[in-house]
């Protein structure tokens, strides 16, 4: 992995390079996001492959709860950009050491995300059909 930029997200700035967002406030701090939110960091990569690798690394760290010990705050927990950067800096050499295996993990997670999106769409359609059946019942019953 080459260099990347990690900074607080500013909606006034236009980002042209491949990028993704990291939630930095709340119990899900460290979670990678595809769309920005008011409380997030942005990671800007040099190319799409690097962005996918970094997003997968962040997702894995978030799922393993690696960010939880670094949360601050008593009411609304948050992670600082410095803490987040140090966690990434610690784990990137491990990923670089096992590049081939990690590339397989990245591809597998991409396929799972695509499948998840398909299933979500299917569930939405099923929900709409259920509503249509109920409406049809009441329409036929004259209510």
């Amino acid at each position: 992995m080459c260099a990347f930029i990690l900074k607080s997200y500013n909606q006034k700035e236009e980002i042209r390079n491949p990028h993704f967002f990291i939630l930095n406030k709340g119990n899900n701090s460290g979670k990678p996001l595809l769309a920005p939110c008011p409380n997030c960091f942005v990671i800007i990569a040099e190319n799409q492959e690097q962005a996918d690798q970094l997003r997968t690394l962040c997702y894995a760290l978030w799922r393993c709860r690696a960010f939880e010990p670094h949360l601050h705050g008593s009411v609304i927990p948050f992670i600082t950009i410095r803490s987040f950067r140090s966690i990434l800096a610690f784990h990137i050499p491990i990923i670089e050491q096992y590049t081939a295996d990690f590339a397989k993990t990245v591809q597998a997670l991409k396929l799972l995300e695509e499948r998840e999106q398909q299933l979500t769409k299917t569930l939405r359609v099923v929900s709409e059909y259920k509503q249509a059946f109920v409406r049809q019942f009441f329409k036929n019953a004259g209510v």
Side-chain angles (χ1 to χ4, degrees):
M1 274 185 223
C2 299
F4 61 90
I5 299 170
L6 170 65
K7 61 183 182 178
S8 294
Y9 174 67
N10 181 356
Q11 64 184 3
K12 295 177 184 175
E13 291 181 23
E14 184 179 337
I15 306 169
R16 295 180 187 261
N17 288 8
H19 61 280
F20 64 97
F21 306 94
I22 300 291
L23 186 64
N24 66 8
K25 287 194 178 158
N27 291 328
N28 282 322
S29 292
K31 180 179 182 179
L33 307 168
L34 294 176
C37 67
N39 300 308
C40 68
F41 302 135
V42 62
I43 294 182
I44 304 169
E46 292 178 350
N47 55 49
Q48 189 60 47
E49 181 183 351
Q50 183 186 21
D52 291 341
Q53 289 177 341
L54 286 168
R55 192 164 60 84
T56 302
L57 173 60
C58 292
Y59 178 79
L61 292 172
W62 172 71
R63 281 309 232 180
C64 294
R65 300 177 180 218
F67 301 114
E68 283 185 8
H70 303 276
L71 296 181
H72 302 283
S74 57
V75 178
I76 299 175
F78 65 94
I79 189 164
T80 63
I81 198 164
R82 175 180 271 171
S83 295
F84 189 83
R85 185 177 281 122
S86 68
I87 294 167
L88 279 185
F90 178 79
H91 287 88
I92 286 175
I94 298 168
I95 299 308
E96 290 175 342
Q97 184 178 356
Y98 299 100
T99 304
D101 292 335
F102 192 69
K104 291 177 187 175
T105 302
V106 170
Q107 290 297 4
L109 284 174
K110 271 185 159 180
L111 291 173
L112 286 170
E113 284 177 359
E114 290 172 9
R115 184 68 178 140
E116 182 180 29
Q117 289 173 356
Q118 291 171 349
L119 289 172
T120 301
K121 185 177 179 181
T122 301
L123 286 172
R124 196 174 321 119
V125 169
V126 168
S127 178
E128 290 172 7
Y129 279 142
K130 287 166 63 175
Q131 286 179 341
F133 282 127
V134 171
R135 280 193 209 117
Q136 188 65 36
F137 168 77
F138 285 116
K139 183 178 178 182
N140 290 339
V143 175

